[in-house]
Amino acid sequence: MATDNKEISLCLSGGGMRGAVHLGVLQYLLDHGYHFRAISGTSIGSLLGGMIAAGHNPWEVLELMLNEHIMKLFVPVVKISRGLIAHKKIQELLEEMIPENSFEKLSIPFFSCAVNLQKGEAVYFGKGTVHDKILASISIPLLFRPVVIDGDDYVDGGVRDNLPVQPLQELGYPILGVHVNNYAFHRIHTGSEIFRRVMQLLIRQSVDRNKELCDIFLEPPLEKEYALFDLKAAGELFDTGYRAARDYFKE
């Protein structure tokens, strides 16, 4: 449903570099006087949401994607224990973009969703140090090594909750959820494509469940299946998000 309330909470899904759609939606909202009172994110939604919560604007974050600054952080360089990619370069980016390593010092209340492998549960971090919680949230299994927090291993929040509405429910603001994986699937030909499709369907379950908890839910249709790290498409994905928000609020 639409709302005249310009104070909202944001719930940002995972989806790799398709997260540029989030930035387009957020830019539209800022251009039209909306105020973000809280942000919750999983995976790329956590990474981008954390930067916005630290005071950066969507255009600034998009520039990082367009110049491939973020892309280079996701390239496997050497095979290491429990994952192909270390967190060092992403840690350096977080130190640059979020210099105050504290949830409490962010400009906007922020929650980062990650999965505790030992307990098999989604956890919604909103206090203490923020860098390690974002790193945990974006740690795609096998691609990244898990992040150890208080002795437990944490991985990408999308494994259990790819639309982390829960921490926003008691804050009293309308919740706007954005899911960035709405693209048409083509006929499957290989075993790897079958595996990827099955994983996408499993992850989709949490989105279908939690979108009902959102006051506004945007799932912009994508014209094709963008690759997980396709930064060349960041600009057009940003535009897709901006148009989707414009069309929704015009209605």
Side-chain angles (χ1 to χ4, degrees), residues 145-207:
R145 68 173 89 180
V147 173
V148 179
I149 300 174
D150 295 331
D152 284 346
D153 294 316
Y154 286 83
V155 297
D156 192 310
V159 171
R160 288 301 304 270
D161 191 349
N162 204 35
L163 195 70
V165 175
Q166 182 176 318
L168 303 175
Q169 287 184 275
E170 296 183 1
L171 300 182
Y173 299 103
I175 299 172
L176 188 156
V178 186
H179 182 235
V180 299
N181 300 299
N182 184 21
Y183 47 85
F185 291 94
H186 303 290
R187 187 174 179 82
I188 296 171
H189 299 285
T190 68
S192 63
E193 289 174 334
I194 292 173
F195 176 77
R196 186 172 72 249
R197 177 59 169 152
V198 169
M199 292 304 298
Q200 289 165 337
L201 291 173
L202 290 173
I203 291 172
R204 173 79 201 198
Q205 293 181 65
S206 64
V207 175

Side-chain angles (χ1 to χ4, degrees), residues 14-28:
M17 295 312 159
R18 292 185 292 274
V21 171
H22 289 316
L23 299 177
V25 171
L26 269 55
Q27 188 62 56
Y28 174 90

Side-chain angles (χ1 to χ4, degrees), residues 42-218:
T42 282
S43 199
I44 192 67
S46 175
L47 179 62
L48 301 181
M51 293 179 185
I52 299 299
H56 299 285
N57 64 65
W59 278 112
E60 183 180 359
V61 180
L62 179 66
E63 280 297 313
L64 289 176
M65 302 181 84
L66 291 175
N67 67 20
E68 300 190 356
H69 185 64
I70 291 179
M71 174 66 168
K72 295 174 183 177
L73 307 180
F74 291 87
V75 178
V77 287
V78 292
K79 188 172 183 179
I80 55 179
S81 174
R82 305 207 296 169
L84 293 175
I85 305 175
H87 294 102
K88 181 180 179 182
K89 292 296 183 180
I90 300 180
Q91 175 71 40
E92 292 174 355
L93 174 66
L94 291 172
E95 290 172 357
E96 173 188 346
M97 299 294 287
I98 310 176
E100 296 280 2
N101 185 21
S102 169
F103 279 95
E104 289 76 11
K105 294 186 177 180
L106 295 174
S107 301
I108 301 170
F110 170 64
F111 303 91
S112 179
C113 175
V115 170
N116 183 311
L117 284 181
Q118 277 70 31
K119 297 178 180 178
E121 299 173 349
V123 178
Y124 308 93
F125 294 104
K127 297 180 180 179
T129 55
V130 66
H131 294 167
D132 56 338
K133 311 311 189 304
I134 293 177
L135 289 175
S137 185
I138 67 172
S139 292
I140 302 170
L142 301 182
L143 189 58
F144 286 94
R145 68 173 89 180
V147 173
V148 179
I149 300 174
D150 295 331
D152 284 346
D153 294 316
Y154 286 83
V155 297
D156 192 310
V159 171
R160 288 301 304 270
D161 191 349
N162 204 35
L163 195 70
V165 175
Q166 182 176 318
L168 303 175
Q169 287 184 275
E170 296 183 1
L171 300 182
Y173 299 103
I175 299 172
L176 188 156
V178 186
H179 182 235
V180 299
N181 300 299
N182 184 21
Y183 47 85
F185 291 94
H186 303 290
R187 187 174 179 82
I188 296 171
H189 299 285
T190 68
S192 63
E193 289 174 334
I194 292 173
F195 176 77
R196 186 172 72 249
R197 177 59 169 152
V198 169
M199 292 304 298
Q200 289 165 337
L201 291 173
L202 290 173
I203 291 172
R204 173 79 201 198
Q205 293 181 65
S206 64
V207 175
D208 289 338
R209 179 176 64 250
N210 290 347
K211 70 181 182 181
E212 302 300 328
L213 304 175
C214 297
D215 297 283
I216 302 168
F217 178 69
L218 296 181

